[in-house]
Amino acid sequence: MKGAFFVVDGIGGAGKTTQLAFLKKKLGKRALFTHEPGGAPRAERIRSILKAEQEPQLDPLTDFFLFWAARAEHVGARILPALKKGKVVISDRFDSSTFAMQVRGDRQKSIEKLFWQCREHTLAGCEPDLYIILDAPIAAARKRRHGRSSEDRFDEKNEAYQARVRAGYLEFAKRFSKRAVVIPALLPPQEVQRRMWEEIEKRI
Ligand code: TMP
């Protein structure tokens, strides 16, 4: 098995948690499981700022740069060292979330250029080998999220926002077509697992 970097992403309620649990069982200690925002000590401190319920809410540009700052820490302190040791790294969310949520969801058209620049600088040497995007219709995802204690300020935004985020993930996947796969999250869980594993196995 060789080192490789995978991202599992998608709108809240698309079933990431279930699928990541499956991968943990399947890969065990051979893989490093991590998440964003966070994944490294200083990145976790940034996460607590991003996840805090605060009034007034963070300025959208602050939000955007904090996600990138946390990611730079995560990449340098955790992801690159693991890849260098030949580990398989699986991240729950990555820059696909920033594209979908901050650039498309928040309609920050003007920061799109910044997004690609931050990406080029931050991800040098650790471009994901594959983005696995779990895609679900907004209503179905909302139903699955309903009553979850982990529901946050992003999940609570309205349907139009959620629809833009979903479209943002699909657009991102299309752009990276050779390094992204979209799996319909409403398929039976075993089928989602099968498709996900088929893609991972080819790359490790
Ligand atoms: P979670 O760890 O519970 O999924 O919470 C992270 C929240 O942050 C989630 O609502 C998605 C959001 N997020 C962004 O808006 N942009 C990003 O770049 C990332 C990584 C997460």
Side-chain angles (χ1 to χ4, degrees):
M1 193 163 89
K2 61 182 172 71
F5 181 21
F6 299 97
V7 172
V8 179
D9 212 338
I11 56 171
K16 270 188 309 111
T17 312
T18 311
Q19 296 308 331
L20 284 164
F22 159 77
L23 289 179
K24 268 186 196 149
K25 245 182 165 171
K26 193 98 183 156
L27 285 159
K29 290 206 172 82
R30 292 184 294 170
L32 166 75
F33 283 85
T34 186
H35 63 268
E36 288 212 345
R42 279 182 291 224
E44 288 295 332
R45 298 212 318 253
I46 299 175
R47 176 186 175 89
S48 62
I49 300 175
L50 284 162
K51 293 279 283 187
E53 297 299 330
Q54 47 205 334
E55 289 298 335
Q57 286 203 343
L58 282 177
D59 176 85
L61 203 57
T62 310
D63 228 24
F64 174 84
F65 280 122
L66 285 180
F67 279 114
W68 276 111
R71 186 161 301 127
E73 270 298 307
H74 188 204
V75 164
R78 197 100 193 273
I79 300 176
L80 275 176
L83 289 174
K84 278 184 189 143
K85 282 187 203 145
K87 278 222 161 213
V88 171
V89 177
I90 306 222
S91 183
D92 174 354
R93 300 191 183 283
F94 204 55
D95 65 314
S96 34
S97 279
T98 310
F99 183 80
M101 299 195 175
Q102 279 67 51
V103 180
R104 290 295 181 253
D106 290 341
R107 278 195 284 212
Q108 295 201 68
K109 191 87 189 107
S110 56
I111 60 164
E112 188 170 347
K113 200 167 153 204
L114 273 179
F115 174 87
W116 297 112
Q117 287 170 340
C118 288
R119 187 174 199 280
E120 198 182 321
H121 284 280
T122 315
L123 306 195
C126 81
E127 276 262 343
D129 291 279
L130 185 72
Y131 290 89
I132 298 168
I133 305 295
L134 300 175
D135 177 55
I138 302 307
R142 183 177 290 266
K143 221 168 160 184
R144 285 202 198 171
R145 283 200 311 269
H146 190 68
R148 254 193 213 172
S149 57
S150 58
E151 183 117 326
D152 63 16
R153 67 184 169 101
F154 300 97
D155 293 324
E156 283 159 9
K157 291 192 180 180
N158 65 27
E159 295 241 329
Y161 168 85
Q162 300 290 348
R164 288 196 297 275
V165 170
R166 181 187 183 197
Y169 278 119
L170 298 177
E171 182 187 343
F172 188 88
K174 210 167 176 184
R175 187 161 181 139
F176 290 99
S177 58
K178 287 206 181 89
R179 277 187 291 116
V181 58
V182 176
I183 303 182
L186 294 188
L187 288 171
Q190 289 86 342
E191 178 58 16
V192 177
Q193 287 168 14
R194 194 193 63 73
R195 291 194 192 186
M196 218 170 47
W197 187 247
E198 188 177 72
E199 295 293 338
I200 291 178
E201 214 176 13
K202 281 192 246 179
R203 293 170 170 88
I204 60 177

